[in-house]
Amino acid sequence: PNPKQPNKFPQVLLVPRNITVEEGVPRLIHVFRVIREQYSSADLDFLFFVNDHTFVIPEHVCRYLLTKQPTEPLYAGHAMDESGRFVFVSGAAGYILSRDTLNKLVTRWEIDCLDPNHPPAKWIQSNPGLLSAKCMQDKLGVPHLDTRDESQPTRQHRFHAFPLTRSISGDVDKWYIDKHEGMHELDSVSFDESYNTLAKGEDCCSEETISFHYVEAKEAEALFRTRKTLLQKPTISDEELKQYLVKTWPSDRKEIGHYSRFLPGDEAALKTLMNVLRKISKASTATTC
């Protein structure tokens, strides 16, 4: 980070060599501490932690944060159940922390988040976000939020741990489905029973969708260009949009990656995908921070 130009981005944060790749917990708290120290003078309000192959719609992040305050606790993303023990949000779909929550994590990490008599297990080192999630729930009093869009009768997710194609088709991994079951029964959340089941088709995704995970570079470029086209030409016909997608969307497995899917060959499925693309590409939901 460049403390002389804290508002100039992008910047690279280098983790010290003495913190190895296998030490996920020390790496995470190091990142938390550096960000808090370097950017506290830059009026840092919120942080969005996200994977490097996750597609993000920044203007929808800004829209979501319109009603949030940096001085209040916030840990927002796609919430899931960790075996009934605590709730965490998907690091793959990305999560947002407020300034207040970051400050609490940094100042109380050693006291409240770590147990000196029981160092983090190896599986926690590989998933350090679970440790911080449990600490926020059990020690720091940070509430869990249902971040689905409330504007529709069928509440729809903003944060997605799978690509657009798989979110629409419902072709997601079993572990992901399982971690939603029984969420409404947990004492630590106030979610209704609809949260237990992942919606698919046009109900998969909020018009204020924030993220899709497992999106490699070529698909990210296709999504970006398609959304730009729809924002500029919202009345584009289905046939024109179809031809644009066929021309733009990656058709090589190496480009689209193992976890994503090609454009659907079925006309009905392709129509659904185009409808969702139109839905998440509206000028009315675009907000600047």
Side-chain angles (χ1 to χ4, degrees):
N2 185 350
K4 295 182 180 180
Q5 295 180 300
N7 289 319
K8 186 176 181 180
F9 296 98
Q11 296 189 26
V12 177
L13 194 161
L14 297 177
V15 178
R17 292 185 177 181
N18 64 309
I19 302 178
T20 68
V21 175
E22 291 76 24
E23 295 178 299
V25 172
R27 290 171 73 87
L28 180 63
I29 188 57
H30 175 79
V31 171
F32 285 163
R33 284 171 175 156
V34 170
I35 291 175
R36 180 174 180 266
E37 291 168 4
Q38 297 289 351
Y39 300 114
S40 59
S41 62
D43 294 327
L44 183 151
D45 292 332
F46 302 97
L47 296 95
F48 186 23
F49 287 85
V50 67
N51 197 293
D52 60 359
H53 57 291
T54 299
F55 181 80
V56 176
I57 303 177
E59 56 267 39
H60 290 172
V61 179
C62 294
R63 186 173 182 84
Y64 179 72
L65 292 175
L66 280 176
T67 59
K68 305 296 184 288
Q69 299 299 322
T71 54
E72 297 177 356
L74 180 69
Y75 172 47
H78 190 121
M80 294 185 286
D81 170 35
E82 179 54 30
S83 305
R85 295 181 296 136
F86 60 92
V87 173
F88 70 102
V89 302
S90 167
Y95 60 91
I96 301 170
L97 300 180
S98 65
R99 183 200 310 143
D100 173 81
T101 299
L102 178 69
N103 287 340
K104 287 177 179 175
L105 280 168
V106 171
T107 58
R108 296 168 59 180
W109 185 263
E110 304 289 343
I111 301 171
D112 290 322
C113 299
L114 296 181
D115 183 347
N117 299 316
H118 299 89
K122 186 176 180 179
W123 73 277
I124 283 289
Q125 292 287 4
S126 300
N127 300 276
L130 295 179
L131 178 63
S132 57
K134 190 174 190 303
C135 182
M136 283 186 275
Q137 174 181 300
D138 295 348
K139 301 293 185 178
L140 305 184
V142 180
H144 297 293
L145 302 178
D146 183 346
T147 59
R148 292 177 300 169
D149 188 351
E150 297 179 348
S151 66
Q152 302 297 323
T154 302
R155 299 191 66 179
Q156 299 159 4
H157 281 285
R158 288 181 168 94
F159 299 83
H160 305 276
F162 283 84
L164 172 65
T165 48
R166 296 182 68 178
S167 298
I168 292 173
S169 68
D171 174 27
V172 297
D173 293 355
K174 186 177 183 300
W175 68 264
Y176 188 57
I177 296 171
D178 291 346
K179 287 187 178 296
H180 291 80
E181 293 181 354
M183 285 283 286
H184 73 293
E185 298 176 343
L186 300 176
D187 294 335
S188 57
V189 299
S190 298
F191 296 176
D192 63 44
E193 195 168 352
S194 68
Y195 200 94
N196 301 349
T197 304
L198 286 163
K200 56 185 178 179
E202 292 186 34
D203 289 337
C204 73
C205 312
S206 164
E207 64 180 10
E208 300 175 8
T209 281
I210 286 173
S211 63
F212 293 108
H213 185 49
Y214 292 131
V215 180
E216 301 296 340
K218 289 295 184 180
E219 185 176 357
E221 183 178 358
L223 277 167
F224 177 84
R225 291 182 180 277
T226 302
R227 289 192 70 255
K228 183 177 180 180
T229 297
L230 286 166
L231 285 164
Q232 293 174 341
K233 298 175 59 179
T235 58
I236 185 173
S237 70
D238 278 356
E239 184 57 33
E240 288 178 291
L241 180 56
K242 175 183 174 181
Q243 294 305 318
Y244 186 85
L245 287 172
V246 170
K247 180 178 67 174
T248 308
W249 211 268
S251 57
D252 184 274
R253 174 53 67 189
K254 290 182 179 179
E255 292 181 342
I256 203 163
H258 177 71
Y259 287 101
S260 192
R261 299 290 184 266
F262 299 115
L263 286 177
D266 177 74
E267 286 295 323
L270 183 59
K271 170 66 173 173
T272 300
L273 184 140
M274 290 192 295
N275 287 347
V276 174
L277 282 168
R278 290 184 188 276
K279 179 180 176 181
I280 66 173
S281 306
K282 297 178 180 178
S284 60
T285 60
T287 303
T288 56
C289 292

